[in-house]
Amino acid sequence: MSNIINVLFATMKGSKYPGQLKGDYTAGDIKKLVIGLFGSDNYRLIVNGQEIQDNNPTQFNELKKNIKNNTTIYVCQRMDGGSGMVDLDSHKATIIVDLEDELRKIPTQHTNSECMICTEEKKCIKYCCSSIICKECFPNSFIYADYKVICLTCNKVLPPESIFVTKQFIQSLIQMDETKLMARNIDFQICRCGAFGINSTMYAKQKCNNCQRWFCFFCNEDWNETEKKMKNDKYSCRVNCFWETKITYQLVTLEYNKNMEVPNRRCCPKCMECGSYDLKCKYHRCKCGHTFCFICLKSQTDCQRDFKSAYNRPCGAVAQQTYTMFPRLCHE
């Protein structure tokens, strides 16, 4: 009798579904389980950071060595450039998986060059002014730049079609940009089922009209008042809620001036992304390029001008950030 292996199929949001595989299972057997659990095989399956591919027996046999009892197989929805939306975490996870295949299709230079990131001599991708980057360094650079291709010389953001070659992958990136633009609004949310909604009351506890799930509108977690002690407040469920974490902070001592305290994190006044304090300087340069003061929230230039301040000197009072600072689709 063949051995039975118990595995868990997990969505990128944390839900897990048990399944069983026989000891001599194939990639097709795994996909059959996925169809039974999720209704289709329109998913990417990830184990130990690698995709399960039924058209690559050698790679699959290597992956099988890591699939043991209670192994988690992550299920990511495919992005085929359609009009539907999925939550951003799932979308990003799918793009990371697809990026590996996409990089194989991007041509490199004929001769070795020094990669601008790892400084090793390799066959590299060259783009824009004189950006030269190897395919091993490209993924981390791409993710750090928030899934954008940015010239390492002039900092220009390049359109995806100038680098990537697959139409569906390019469309997926464009769609993610559209989703991110919508997701910047505090009154907009995409349910895990793909349905999107607008919160007219701004209270946390909401019900999806499509899948009937009760959830916190702001962090997209299943609603749970018993164990998680969620509260139906405006803008937050009070359990590590998404927008609340953006405007809350703790005061920490400035390393270069022990008499000063600085918020340990702030929301960028320009792009609304969160950034952490590096313990040395009160000024923070956000990924969007905006440099601002963690204390008064003014730009570095304005802070230095208005308060005659410096990186380790006091300025104004600790400015408070509120939910009203975030954009929304509908206004009360």
Side-chain angles (χ1 to χ4, degrees), residues 146-160:
D146 198 20
Y147 301 82
K148 302 284 187 183
V149 179
I150 298 179
C151 177
L152 300 177
T153 304
C154 69
N155 292 322
K156 179 182 178 181
V157 178
L158 305 177

Side-chain angles (χ1 to χ4, degrees), residues 25 48 111 125 141 159 181 205 238 250 273 276 330:
Y25 66 91
N48 290 348
T111 57
I125 303 169
S141 175
L181 185 63
K205 186 177 181 181
R238 303 299 182 187
Q250 293 178 331
E273 285 298 315
S276 298
C330 302

Side-chain angles (χ1 to χ4, degrees), residues 56-101:
N56 190 334
T58 302
Q59 184 252 17
F60 179 68
N61 287 331
E62 286 298 315
L63 278 181
K64 284 184 70 171
K65 298 176 183 178
N66 298 314
I67 302 177
K68 304 173 183 178
N69 267 326
N70 298 318
T71 293
T72 298
I73 299 175
Y74 288 95
V75 181
C76 306
Q77 182 171 337
R78 292 178 184 270
M79 300 303 299
D80 294 325
S83 58
M85 288 185 174
V86 297
D87 62 89
L88 280 172
D89 287 342
S90 296
H91 198 152
K92 289 178 179 179
T94 305
I95 284 176
I96 292 171
V97 173
D98 289 343
L99 181 61
E100 183 178 349
D101 289 334

Side-chain angles (χ1 to χ4, degrees), residues 174-192:
I174 293 172
Q175 182 179 335
M176 186 173 71
D177 283 342
E178 295 171 350
T179 305
K180 285 194 296 184
L181 185 63
M182 295 287 284
R184 290 181 67 249
N185 296 283
I186 193 173
D187 59 347
F188 175 84
Q189 183 59 274
I190 305 170
C191 180
R192 295 175 191 170

